[in-house]
Amino acid sequence: MRNTLLIIDDSELDRAIFNEIFKRDYRVLRAATASEGIDLIRKNVLDVAVVVLDICLQRGPSGFSVLERIHKQEGCSRLPVILLTAEAEPEWVYRGVEMGAVDFLVKPLAPKATQDRIKSIIEEFWGTEEEQDADAPPGKISLQQAEILTQRWQKKFLAFCQNHDITFPSYVQRLRIITSALADAYCELFPEGGIAPYDAKLISMASGFAEVGQLALPDDIVWGGIEQPEPGRSQFMLHTKLGSELFRDGPSEWEPLTTYCADIAAYHHKNYDGTGYPAALSRDEIPLSAQLVHTAMACSSLADRYAEEHDIFKMVYRALSLQAGRTLSHDMLKAVSASQKTLSNIFHTMRLQQRAEDVFDKKPKVQEAVVPRTAEKSEAKSQRSKGTLPALDSLVRARRAKRTDR
């Protein structure tokens, strides 16, 4: 179970205050320097739930370089890091969230508010204490082993992608978080539905490899997407088969993780009514893991379309509700509804980073939320709209206002 908080701050007083706030609920590790903090992360990689990092470390690297080093550690690419400072300079905040920080705290800390914010972040990234304690069934891979394994795979996967789409790592991060929220909600809504909290965690980990088969395709085919003419269209659809085959027949001690990876890679473009691709399977024949990731991808794509709206979740949910029974099942729509609080936060704080050619795309009108799109257009949009950038809602709004003033 991830029950450890790490604070990296060169102020002895601030470290003591942080310890006093959280010592009753968590194991608190304290580091005065960057090197101490990195060393503690390495030694406790499976236990650390969140890192609180002072931006202005007086000795050694600045907080920003430490933030970069943390996310390069094995098993730490999605470890939430909260920045801490006495002066919230706007340029520091912009830089921090663009580098992957999930939140920003300003000294002096308000104990209750700080507790609530950090607990919320931990639950968003790792689940509740009960969910973290869900252990593996006999003979199955443990959640800790699966986390380390998928982090290693993801590091290699994203290294291959870096020269093809620089926005893809952040897209994978957001997809995994959305999938986690939907899977947790589905478990709670349908306890007899076939997945337990243990499976929900594995499905979240596996979601990051949905598009791994695209690595086998030429770049022009990948960028062409599902709407390109033949023979490119058929070549593009092959990535589901290629990605699935990568995970088939893996070691038995990795199960059921590899099966989830294979099923998600194969059917993440499959609509509930049987449309989409590949041609086989429809409705409840489609693996539940793939249905969850397919729904998460639809949520992500729609959130990008309506990013300028005041209530993004409302627009996303309205669009999905018109596709229930076709693109997604009614049960999946219920899982989306049950995840409203978490998804709303994700939609507002994880901003899409578009490729240059997407910047000039025409922004959809509000009315489009009530007009169902065809499956192929939705699939093509999800291919064109890859990548996210963590950000705070207030900062995003400030940037938008600044652009409008210009």
Side-chain angles (χ1 to χ4, degrees):
M1 183 184 74
R2 291 185 180 265
N3 65 341
T4 300
L5 281 68
L6 170 63
I7 178 168
I8 306 175
D9 193 322
D10 54 15
S11 167
E12 183 177 358
L13 176 60
D14 289 331
R15 296 195 303 272
I17 291 173
F18 191 87
N19 180 67
E20 189 64 28
I21 293 174
F22 289 100
K23 67 181 181 181
R24 291 182 179 85
D25 299 314
Y26 298 96
R27 172 187 175 219
V28 180
L29 299 178
R30 292 171 282 178
T33 66
S35 59
E36 289 179 15
I38 296 296
D39 188 52
L40 285 171
I41 290 173
R42 289 197 192 102
K43 292 177 180 177
N44 300 273
V45 67
L46 296 178
D47 301 317
V48 175
V50 68
V51 176
V52 178
L53 172 63
D54 183 21
I55 288 181
C56 300
L57 294 175
Q58 294 178 353
R59 297 184 294 275
S62 71
F64 294 116
S65 62
V66 179
L67 172 61
E68 186 176 19
R69 288 173 60 188
I70 289 173
H71 284 157
K72 287 182 178 180
Q73 299 299 307
E74 183 174 298
C76 296
S77 64
R78 69 182 291 260
L79 180 63
V81 178
I82 300 170
L83 298 179
L84 181 65
T85 184
E87 298 179 9
E89 295 292 337
E91 61 269 26
W92 292 358
V93 179
Y94 294 150
R95 182 180 177 189
V97 296
E98 287 176 353
M99 292 180 67
V102 299
D103 207 341
F104 211 97
L105 297 177
V106 180
K107 302 176 185 178
L109 300 178
K112 184 62 170 63
T114 302
Q115 283 178 327
D116 290 344
R117 288 175 76 174
I118 291 183
K119 183 178 180 181
S120 175
I121 288 170
I122 290 174
E123 290 185 357
E124 179 181 319
F125 275 78
W126 310 113
T128 63
E129 183 174 341
E130 291 76 14
E131 291 168 337
Q132 291 185 52
D133 283 337
D135 206 356
K140 304 298 183 181
I141 191 170
S142 72
L143 292 179
Q144 291 187 341
Q145 291 172 326
E147 182 72 33
I148 290 295
L149 194 60
T150 53
Q151 289 293 346
R152 290 174 180 171
W153 294 347
Q154 187 166 303
K155 183 178 181 180
K156 295 177 181 179
F157 175 31
L158 297 180
F160 285 124
C161 297
Q162 64 183 353
N163 294 323
H164 300 270
D165 187 351
I166 61 172
T167 71
F168 197 57
S170 51
Y171 169 78
V172 168
Q173 180 190 30
R174 183 170 66 172
L175 180 62
R176 178 169 171 173
I177 294 173
I178 295 175
T179 301
S180 177
L182 295 178
D184 289 344
Y186 193 94
C187 285
E188 186 173 345
L189 289 170
F190 309 105
E192 305 301 323
I195 61 171
Y198 165 79
D199 300 283
K201 295 301 178 188
L202 293 184
I203 291 169
S204 171
M205 297 177 198
S207 66
F209 305 100
E211 303 286 11
V212 68
Q214 290 191 18
L215 292 177
L217 302 179
D219 283 355
D220 61 325
I221 298 298
V222 173
W223 297 130
I226 192 62
E227 290 188 328
Q228 64 187 296
E230 296 290 1
R233 174 185 166 88
S234 294
Q235 286 182 266
F236 178 78
M237 289 192 292
L238 278 177
H239 80 269
T240 57
K241 179 181 179 181
L242 296 169
S244 180
E245 289 177 348
L246 181 65
F247 293 102
R248 298 295 182 192
D249 303 318
S252 59
E253 59 267 25
W254 290 355
E255 287 293 345
L257 175 64
T258 49
T259 292
Y260 285 139
C261 288
D263 288 344
I264 289 168
Y267 298 108
H268 64 281
H269 286 300
K270 191 68 177 175
N271 294 318
Y272 187 66
D273 64 0
T275 58
Y277 56 95
L281 306 187
S282 65
R283 303 184 70 81
D284 293 334
E285 296 174 334
I286 304 170
L288 192 53
S289 57
Q291 291 188 50
L292 286 163
V293 174
H294 182 65
T295 303
M297 292 175 72
C299 286
S300 179
S301 179
L302 288 167
D304 293 336
R305 288 174 57 195
Y306 303 112
E308 302 298 325
E309 302 300 332
H310 174 70
D311 191 338
I312 301 174
F313 178 85
K314 179 180 179 180
M315 305 302 293
V316 170
Y317 183 80
R318 183 180 297 177
L320 289 175
S321 66
L322 294 172
Q323 301 174 34
R326 299 192 302 275
T327 300
L328 72 164
S329 70
H330 290 282
D331 286 351
M332 284 294 156
L333 184 64
K334 291 178 181 178
V336 173
S337 179
S339 307
Q340 179 175 356
K341 182 178 179 180
T342 302
L343 293 181
S344 294
N345 183 51
I346 295 169
F347 296 160
H348 280 285
T349 61
M350 301 192 76
R351 179 73 168 170
L352 171 69
Q353 179 184 357
Q354 294 178 316
R355 301 200 317 272
E357 57 267 38
D358 291 330
V359 172
F360 300 102
D361 284 353
K362 183 179 179 182
K363 177 183 176 295
K365 301 298 183 182
V366 174
Q367 292 86 338
E368 290 187 28
V370 297
V371 182
R373 288 191 163 195
T374 64
E376 288 187 359
K377 285 185 178 180
S378 296
E379 291 159 0
K381 186 65 179 178
S382 71
Q383 293 300 321
R384 294 196 304 269
S385 306
K386 291 184 176 178
T388 60
L389 191 63
L392 301 175
D393 187 37
S394 59
L395 301 179
V396 173
R397 293 181 183 279
R399 280 184 162 182
R400 292 175 189 159
K402 188 174 182 180
R403 289 198 296 268
T404 302
D405 292 341
R406 291 177 182 174

